[in-house]
């Protein structure tokens, strides 16, 4: 039997999804993105999972979209198949925290997939770029929209228009990634962070993620109002009362994720 294009593991309350097309540097084709979307939704629906990690291998998180698959497509092919929107955007439906653990190449669609995650941990050998302009194309999986929000217009224009490659240190300074760790520590760091996050109350995590995304995508006044309602809603949560009582009683909270 052939290897799955996305390997799924569960460690405690953490789901780990490993992109698995090593001979293609994890190039993102329809089969892989279908499998990734299905796995993300399955873990999102699993009450035993509190956080999700997406990773690749030491050489590549994902080297971009699979160009060989796309060469002969026409406008009507991509329009009728709802290219990108149909399966790449599944990650937007995931309500639990998603961490990208990036080593090696995160190019084109690989960079865009990382940008779509909530937290990006980079190994010190990671490289990020949106080189689509070299093919007379453009970043079409959210790159032209998420990158300026992450690093600002000037730097995003530089990357998109010149195909500039950022090393891990530059990506960290620009704000594209959350932190940089040695390559041999990447998996451990990602799993440790995910386990810490998954140990908190899941309803609180989901509310925080939703609030931050409102800030990322909308106006300040709308985001403040949404945040306030989410804060008020915490007082209807058993976990919030458990957390406050545990703080007062100087003990570790026992969250039931309610």
């Amino acid at each position: 039997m052939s290897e799955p294009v996305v390997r799924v593991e569960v460690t405690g309350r953490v789901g780990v999804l490993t992109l698995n097309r090593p001979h293609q540097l994890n190039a993102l084709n329809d089969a892989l993105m279908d499998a990734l979307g299905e796995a993300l939704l399955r873990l999102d629906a699993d009450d035993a999972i509190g956080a999700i990690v997406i990773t690749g291998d030491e050489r590549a998180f994902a080297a971009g979209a699979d160009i060989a698959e796309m060469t002969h497509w026409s406008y009507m092919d991509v329009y009728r198949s709802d290219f990108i929107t149909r399966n790449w955007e599944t990650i937007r439906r995931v309500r639990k925290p998603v961490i990208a653990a990036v080593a090696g190449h995160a190019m084109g669609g690989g960079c865009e997939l990382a940008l779509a995650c909530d937290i990006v941990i980079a190994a010190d050998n990671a490289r990020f770029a949106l080189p689509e302009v070299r093919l007379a194309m453009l970043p079409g999986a959210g790159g032209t929209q998420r990158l300026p929000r992450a690093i600002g217009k000037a730097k995003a224009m530089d990357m998109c228009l010149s195909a500039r490659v950022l090393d891990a240190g530059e990506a960290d300074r620009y704000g594209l990634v959350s932190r940089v760790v040695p390559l041999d520590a990447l998996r451990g760091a990602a799993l440790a962070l995910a386990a810490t996050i998954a140990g908190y109350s899941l309803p609180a995590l989901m509310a925080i993620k939703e609030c931050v995304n409102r800030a990322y995508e909308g106006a300040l006044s709308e985001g403040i109002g949404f945040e306030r309602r989410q804060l008020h809603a915490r007082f209807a949560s058993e976990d919030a009362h458990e957390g406050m009582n545990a703080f007062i009683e100087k003990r570790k909270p026992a969250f039931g994720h309610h």
Side-chain angles (χ1 to χ4, degrees):
M1 293 178 64
S2 60
E3 279 277 308
V5 292
V6 175
R7 295 202 307 268
V8 182
E9 306 166 65
V10 173
T11 303
R13 286 184 53 79
V14 176
V16 182
L17 304 179
T18 303
L19 309 182
N20 187 35
R21 299 186 73 210
H23 299 300
Q24 296 81 22
L25 295 178
N26 294 328
L28 306 173
N29 63 1
D30 259 355
L32 188 152
M33 296 311 294
D34 285 343
L36 179 62
E38 290 167 7
L40 282 167
L41 293 180
R42 190 164 65 249
L43 292 173
D44 199 39
D46 186 344
D47 291 339
I49 299 297
I52 301 167
V53 174
I54 301 176
T55 192
D57 57 35
E58 292 187 358
R59 293 193 303 158
F61 176 70
D66 193 334
I67 303 302
E69 187 179 79
M70 300 163 54
T71 305
H72 301 295
W73 289 350
S74 69
Y75 171 77
M76 285 308 299
D77 289 333
V78 296
Y79 181 69
R80 292 176 65 180
S81 69
D82 208 14
F83 178 51
I84 300 293
T85 308
R86 178 176 58 80
N87 47 13
W88 290 61
E89 291 289 298
T90 303
I91 195 169
R92 296 183 64 192
R93 293 160 54 191
V94 177
R95 301 178 70 192
K96 294 173 181 175
V98 181
I99 299 168
V102 178
H105 299 294
M107 304 292 171
C111 182
E112 290 173 300
L113 176 58
L115 284 166
C117 295
D118 302 309
I119 298 174
V120 183
I121 299 180
D124 51 16
N125 76 332
R127 299 291 182 269
F128 299 86
L130 292 174
E132 288 85 351
V133 68
R134 293 177 178 169
L135 307 180
M137 296 290 283
L138 60 82
T144 65
Q145 304 304 300
R146 292 190 178 101
L147 189 64
R149 288 168 167 80
I151 68 175
K153 177 184 174 182
K155 290 180 172 64
M157 282 287 194
D158 190 354
M159 287 184 68
C160 291
L161 297 178
S162 73
R164 180 182 178 189
V165 179
L166 298 186
D167 63 28
E170 289 174 308
D172 188 24
R173 292 194 298 273
Y174 283 11
L176 195 156
V177 307
S178 309
R179 60 183 79 172
V180 178
V181 300
L183 174 60
D184 60 4
L186 176 64
R187 181 179 174 88
L191 288 177
L193 175 61
T196 296
I197 291 171
Y200 298 130
S201 168
L202 181 56
L205 294 171
M206 293 163 65
I208 290 167
K209 175 171 175 172
E210 199 169 2
C211 284
V212 173
N213 281 332
R214 283 291 180 111
Y216 185 72
E217 297 173 1
L220 177 61
S221 57
E222 179 188 345
I224 290 291
F226 184 82
E227 175 193 78
R228 203 59 34 77
R229 292 296 171 262
Q230 288 290 341
L231 174 64
H232 294 168
R234 293 290 81 225
F235 288 87
S237 164
E238 294 175 14
D239 281 349
H241 289 283
E242 166 63 10
M244 289 185 285
N245 286 326
F247 177 80
I248 296 298
E249 296 164 12
K250 296 181 171 55
R251 60 175 174 83
K252 184 177 181 180
F255 293 129
H257 307 291
H258 298 294

